[in-house]
């Protein structure tokens, strides 16, 4: 939670620096196709509210339609109002987490689309939202500026998520520091495609933030296509 607070403060400071550009800054496109910066900020606020619901034992969202409507409704507000909303909802999430007893974090909870996890993973899931959407704001924060510990943990998370997925070509990932990961369809499906790159570049590709910038296959072939998260 302390790491999450620091990341949230960094995102708010980065977004606030858009202020001299006026409220047109939040109406400008983000790095996510079809979303403005306002959509990204509204999503972050509504996601914090949704995770308060999860930690409180309620459904994450009333429905997929309600989730999308909440983002759209908040996307067109002035920058100052957007920042106040992100800050206030982050504070509510932090307070909700602080009220959970130590033994409560081991309980299982349900997120979207039937996904379940232990409560203790919710702060990291929120950290992923904050860090990656900070990059998505296209406000000067880039993948190579992400904290190394976060990048490594997110690669661990994403490779575990893709592991055993028949839609993902078997992959063997490696970084210059000697770190390695395997993921994708079972190795019996064929020899893995060997992919190398700096950890932040590998993470950006796995997370769908790049088409493979800074990442290459060992034999120079085209990178496999990954399914959307």
């Amino acid at each position: 939670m302390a790491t999450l607070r620091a990341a949230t403060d960094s995102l708010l400071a980065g977004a606030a620096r858009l202020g001299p550009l006026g409220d047109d800054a939040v109406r400008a496109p983000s790095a996510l196709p079809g979303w403005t910066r306002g959509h990204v900020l509204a999503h972050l606020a509504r996601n914090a509210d949704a995770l308060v619901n999860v930690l409180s034992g309620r459904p994450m969202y009333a429905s997929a339609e309600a989730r999308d409507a909440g983002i759209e409704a908040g996307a067109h507000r002035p920058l100052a109002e957007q920042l106040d909303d992100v800050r206030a909802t982050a504070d509510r999430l932090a307070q909700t987490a602080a009220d959970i007893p130590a033994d409560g974090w081991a309980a299982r909870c349900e997120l979207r689309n039937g996904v379940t996890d232990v409560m203790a993973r919710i702060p990291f899931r929120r950290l992923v939202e904050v860090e990656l959407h900070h990059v998505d704001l296209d406000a000067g924060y880039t993948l190579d500026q992400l904290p190394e510990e976060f990048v490594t943990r997110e690669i661990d998370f994403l490779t575990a998520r893709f592991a055993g997925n028949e839609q993902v070509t078997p992959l063997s990932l490696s970084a210059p520091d000697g770190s390695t990961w395997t993921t994708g369809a079972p190795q019996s499906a064929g020899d893995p495609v060997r992919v190398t790159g700096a950890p932040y570049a590998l993470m950006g590709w796995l997370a769908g933030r790049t088409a493979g910038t800074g990442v290459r296959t060992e034999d120079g072939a085209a990178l496999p296509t990954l399914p959307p998260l």
Side-chain angles (χ1 to χ4, degrees):
M1 290 304 299
T3 301
L4 174 57
R5 168 53 66 187
T8 301
D9 289 345
S10 176
L11 178 142
L12 287 165
R17 285 193 288 273
L18 295 169
L21 301 178
D23 290 332
D24 286 345
V26 293
R27 291 188 282 269
S30 73
L32 291 177
W35 270 17
T36 66
R37 291 186 177 120
H39 284 91
V40 173
L41 292 169
H43 165 61
L44 282 166
R46 301 291 70 77
N47 174 259
D49 283 340
L51 292 178
V52 167
N53 288 337
V54 171
L55 293 180
S56 302
R58 299 187 294 269
M60 187 170 183
Y61 294 99
S63 66
E65 293 77 13
R67 172 189 176 273
D68 294 345
I71 295 169
E72 187 62 33
H76 310 287
R77 297 169 297 173
L79 177 60
E81 189 174 336
Q82 297 270 17
L83 297 183
D84 286 346
D85 194 15
V86 173
R87 186 178 297 106
T89 52
D91 288 345
R92 283 199 292 272
L93 178 59
Q95 185 57 60
T96 301
D99 291 340
I100 295 175
D103 59 357
W105 288 103
R108 293 204 69 82
C109 57
E110 184 171 345
L111 294 99
R112 294 179 63 206
N113 303 321
V115 173
T116 64
D117 207 340
V118 293
M119 299 266 276
R121 293 260 282 185
I122 297 303
F124 177 71
R125 284 179 175 272
R126 173 62 179 179
L127 181 64
V128 172
E129 296 284 332
V130 170
E131 288 285 20
L132 292 187
H133 286 316
H134 191 173
V135 173
D136 294 335
L137 281 176
D138 195 22
Y141 190 61
T142 53
L143 289 171
D144 60 325
Q145 294 175 300
L146 290 166
E148 291 182 12
E149 181 180 359
F150 167 77
V151 169
T152 300
R153 189 169 180 185
E154 176 65 347
I155 295 176
D156 292 343
F157 179 80
L158 292 170
T159 51
R161 182 167 179 171
F162 286 135
N165 188 330
E166 298 287 351
Q167 297 180 15
V168 180
T169 301
L171 296 172
S172 175
L173 310 177
S174 62
D177 63 3
S179 299
T180 60
W181 300 264
T182 58
T183 193
Q187 299 298 310
S188 59
D191 293 335
V193 175
R194 300 187 182 279
V195 178
T196 63
Y200 75 86
L202 290 170
M203 190 220 67
W205 176 58
L206 290 170
R209 263 49 188 189
T210 75
T213 303
V215 176
R216 64 177 181 83
T217 59
E218 192 174 70
D219 61 4
L223 289 165
T225 300
L226 298 176
L229 293 174

